[in-house]
């Protein structure tokens, strides 16, 4: 039986580091540019992505023009643990060029299937390799030499193709689930606009009276702007940022224990519990003020995710927050938590967050700024009617996100088994079997 082998990446692929920037120069040829976020946010590069317009020289186009089967990776990052994110080009795209901060990897397709290679580069073991060899201090980068030496595990080609078929079928299921999430989110967004500009009468009907104009946007008649503090639990610290590095550092994390939520766990309207860190119970006891209760509002406070928020569910109960999360302790007798979560995602609050988040040395928002947000307020009965109106869509979105999370966990498990040779694939059938010891 043919065996797996591990080779340096350069043995099976041509590697090119792009220097094509985002500028448009009249003397150069117009091109579509595949940029950092196009790769970072997508596993597959296809023609429906919104590529930017730029220009490049003829020499740059000859060297960095993208073709079907190329694998692109993010070669630069602000942190070494978030570098080398891969995406594969799934179709021929006219006039598309690889942009700066990316590396173009063109596999020898007699040796390695492009999707198989992309999945190999996405494995945690490869990410650890990239993290070790990313050089820099304030910004990190992967050199051509480091990329060339990347250990790459290869199965025989017939197994590669079968593995790709299994994993891409899961990718398709995830993509379809994400499309349904997007559909329900659009419905919810339209509903929220009506609810937060017109309000709801006791009979469940939208108000017919005109909205009241404020400096931050329209409010329903009878509503007012106030502080989120009016809805918080007076028995707890109302708004709290997670512990700083000195109180919770890398050395405190263990394999099992009390979960710690990071910024990536706080999705909009949903707590993603598929990837958690843990501290010991004794360490958690010293950080008890940062424990989460079900119904607390968790708020992503830094970076591109600033303003993203979700209510803590039963799974998050008892977990800790880290420094990148703000916890708002809601008093459920004074508010409807789902109303508060929705209000933070409403335009009238989002505009203020966008205004405030760049006022520090790093893009983000702090507890003081949240306290002083002009927050839309109405009586608790109307809050509950709005929460009930939003509940069906919120529940559908939450269930779809849970389904997506399970699919991603299944995919992660299969990637670990299939891409290491831990499971032998029976080519020509849909079956897999555990490799003998």
């Amino acid at each position: 039986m043919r065996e797996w082998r591990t080779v340096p990446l350069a043995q099976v692929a041509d590697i090119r580091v792009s220097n094509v920037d985002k500028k448009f120069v009249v003397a150069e040829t117009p091109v579509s540019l595949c940029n950092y976020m196009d790769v970072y946010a997508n596993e597959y590069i296809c023609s429906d992505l919104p590529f930017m317009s730029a220009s490049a020289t003829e020499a740059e186009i000859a060297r960095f023009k993208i073709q079907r089967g190329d694998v692109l990776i993010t070669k630069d990052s602000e942190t070494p643990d978030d570098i080398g994110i891969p995406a594969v080009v799934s179709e021929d795209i006219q006039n598309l060029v690889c942009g700066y901060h990316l590396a173009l990897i063109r596999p020898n397709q007699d040796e390695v299937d492009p999707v198989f290679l992309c999945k190999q580069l996405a494995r945690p073991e490869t990410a650890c390799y990239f993290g070790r060899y990313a050089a820099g201090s304030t910004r990190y980068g992967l050199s051509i030499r480091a990329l060339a030496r990347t250990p790459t595990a290869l199965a025989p080609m017939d197994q590669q193709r079968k593995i790709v078929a299994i994993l891409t079928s899961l990718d398709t299921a995830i993509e379809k689930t994400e499309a349904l999430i997007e559909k329900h989110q659009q419905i919810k967004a339209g509903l929220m606009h009506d609810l937060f500009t017109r309000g709801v009468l006791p009979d469940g009907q939208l108000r017919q009276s005109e909205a009241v104009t404020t400096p931050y946007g329209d409010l329903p008649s009878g509503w007012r702007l106030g502080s989120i503090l009016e809805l918080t639990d007076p028995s707890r610290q109302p708004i709290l940022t997670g512990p700083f590095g000195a109180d919770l550092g890398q050395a405190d994390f263990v394999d099992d224990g009390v979960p710690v939520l990071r910024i990536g766990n706080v999705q909009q309207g949903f707590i993603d519990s598929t990837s958690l860190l843990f501290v010991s119970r004794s360490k958690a006891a010293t950080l008890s003020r940062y424990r989460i209760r079900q119904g607390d509002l968790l708020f992503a406070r830094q970076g591109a995710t600033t303003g993203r928020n979700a209510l803590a569910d039963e799974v998050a109960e008892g977990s800790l927050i880290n420094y990148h999360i703000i916890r708002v302790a809601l008093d459920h007798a004074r508010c409807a938590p789902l109303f508060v979560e929705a209000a933070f995602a409403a335009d009238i609050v989002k505009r203020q967050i966008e205004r405030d988040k760049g006022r520090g040395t790093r893009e983000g928002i702090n507890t003081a700024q949240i306290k002083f947000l002009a927050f839309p307020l109405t009586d608790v009965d109307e809050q509950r009617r709005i929460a009930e109106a939003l509940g069906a869509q919120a529940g559908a979105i939450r269930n779809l996100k849970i389904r997506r999370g399970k699919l991603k966990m299944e995919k992660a498990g299969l990637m670990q088994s299939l891409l290491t040779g831990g499971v032998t694939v029976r080519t020509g059938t849909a079956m897999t079997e555990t490799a003998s010891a």
Side-chain angles (χ1 to χ4, degrees):
M1 180 177 175
R2 291 167 292 173
E3 299 293 334
W4 283 62
R5 58 196 174 101
T6 298
V7 300
L9 179 59
Q11 186 172 317
V12 292
D14 178 39
I15 304 168
R16 308 172 186 183
V17 172
S18 176
N19 60 348
V20 183
D21 61 29
K22 299 179 181 180
K23 296 178 181 178
F24 191 95
V25 179
V26 174
E28 296 178 348
T29 302
V31 297
S32 295
L33 199 64
C34 183
N35 281 316
Y36 184 96
M37 286 307 300
D38 297 322
V39 173
Y40 187 89
N42 299 283
E43 290 188 64
Y44 297 90
I45 303 299
C46 51
S47 57
D48 59 1
L49 294 178
F51 302 111
M52 75 172 294
S53 297
S55 65
T57 66
E58 292 301 323
E60 288 171 337
I61 293 171
R63 183 159 178 76
F64 299 114
K65 189 176 186 302
I66 290 170
Q67 65 186 40
R68 181 178 182 177
D70 287 345
V71 177
L72 310 177
I73 68 166
T74 59
K75 76 168 194 69
D76 299 305
S77 177
E78 293 182 355
T79 59
D81 60 349
D82 192 29
I83 199 168
I85 309 300
V88 63
V89 181
S90 58
E91 58 184 284
D92 286 314
I93 305 169
Q94 186 175 5
N95 209 32
L96 185 64
V97 171
C98 177
Y100 192 56
H101 297 306
L102 298 175
L104 187 157
I105 300 169
R106 183 158 292 161
N108 176 353
Q109 296 190 33
D110 292 331
E111 297 279 348
V112 58
D113 180 281
V115 178
F116 181 89
L117 177 60
C118 185
K119 301 298 185 186
Q120 282 289 0
L121 295 176
R123 290 179 57 226
E125 292 82 355
T126 309
C128 288
Y129 169 86
F130 288 150
R132 285 197 307 273
Y133 289 96
S137 54
T138 59
R139 189 168 184 86
Y140 296 83
L142 289 166
S143 67
I144 281 279
R145 185 178 184 185
L147 289 170
R149 294 181 173 184
T150 304
T152 307
L154 299 179
M157 282 300 299
D158 55 350
Q159 291 190 41
Q160 288 187 38
R161 295 188 184 103
K162 186 63 181 179
I163 290 167
V164 165
I166 293 168
L167 294 178
T168 53
S169 68
L170 273 173
D171 286 338
T172 300
I174 291 169
E175 182 181 351
K176 289 180 178 179
T177 305
E178 288 176 340
L180 286 172
I181 291 170
E182 178 64 24
K183 177 182 176 181
H184 282 282
Q185 285 176 331
Q186 289 175 357
I187 295 170
K188 183 183 174 185
L191 180 59
M192 278 181 57
H193 178 267
D194 289 342
L195 294 172
F196 279 86
T197 57
R198 295 175 63 181
V200 181
L201 296 168
D203 64 0
Q205 299 299 309
L206 293 172
R207 281 194 180 90
Q208 298 303 313
S209 54
E210 290 187 6
V212 176
T213 300
T214 78
Y216 308 105
D218 290 343
L219 275 183
S221 175
W223 288 33
R224 64 185 175 86
L225 292 175
S227 169
I228 186 64
L229 293 177
E230 297 180 51
L231 307 179
T232 54
D233 185 346
S235 69
R236 303 167 66 195
Q237 185 169 342
I239 304 178
L240 178 69
T241 300
F244 286 77
D247 297 318
L248 180 62
Q250 193 66 34
D252 294 312
F253 296 120
V254 296
D255 292 337
D256 195 19
V258 177
V260 178
L261 298 189
R262 299 172 288 172
I263 197 167
N265 299 118
V266 180
Q267 301 296 316
Q268 183 57 49
F270 174 69
I271 302 297
D272 183 354
S273 301
T274 58
S275 178
L276 297 171
L277 296 177
F278 299 90
V279 295
S280 66
R281 297 192 182 279
S282 59
K283 178 63 179 181
T286 70
L287 301 171
S288 59
R289 66 194 294 253
Y290 302 108
R291 279 190 183 270
I292 300 163
R293 295 183 187 176
Q294 186 174 349
D296 285 346
L297 186 75
L298 306 181
F299 195 95
R301 75 179 199 87
Q302 281 190 322
T305 57
T306 298
R308 195 167 64 191
N309 63 93
L311 293 171
D313 56 17
E314 65 277 7
V315 177
E317 171 87 32
S319 300
L320 302 172
I321 56 172
N322 80 348
Y323 175 65
H324 297 292
I325 296 174
I326 295 173
R327 186 225 67 207
V328 181
L330 298 177
D331 184 344
H332 297 195
R334 301 165 72 190
C335 72
L338 187 56
F339 168 87
V340 178
E341 178 191 77
F344 266 111
D347 288 342
I348 201 165
V349 175
K350 284 168 65 176
R351 290 189 190 102
Q352 297 175 71
I353 291 170
E354 287 299 312
R355 175 200 66 193
D356 292 344
K357 72 179 186 179
R359 293 186 174 181
T361 55
R362 295 184 64 185
E363 187 171 282
I365 195 166
N366 57 40
T367 57
Q369 289 168 325
I370 291 178
K371 290 176 184 177
F372 288 108
L373 288 172
F375 199 78
L377 295 172
T378 183
D379 64 77
V380 68
D381 289 335
E382 186 169 11
Q383 289 183 38
R384 288 170 180 154
R385 291 196 295 272
I386 287 173
E388 183 178 357
L390 290 170
Q393 289 302 324
I397 292 169
R398 183 165 51 251
N399 290 337
L400 285 167
K401 287 182 175 179
I402 289 170
R403 182 198 301 177
R404 180 181 63 185
K406 289 179 178 177
L407 286 169
K408 287 185 173 182
M409 288 181 68
E410 181 182 355
K411 176 183 169 182
L414 279 172
M415 284 180 65
Q416 181 60 28
S417 299
L418 295 175
L419 296 173
T420 60
V423 166
T424 299
V425 179
R426 295 180 186 174
T427 57
T429 74
M431 300 290 291
T432 63
E433 63 179 2
T434 304
S436 57

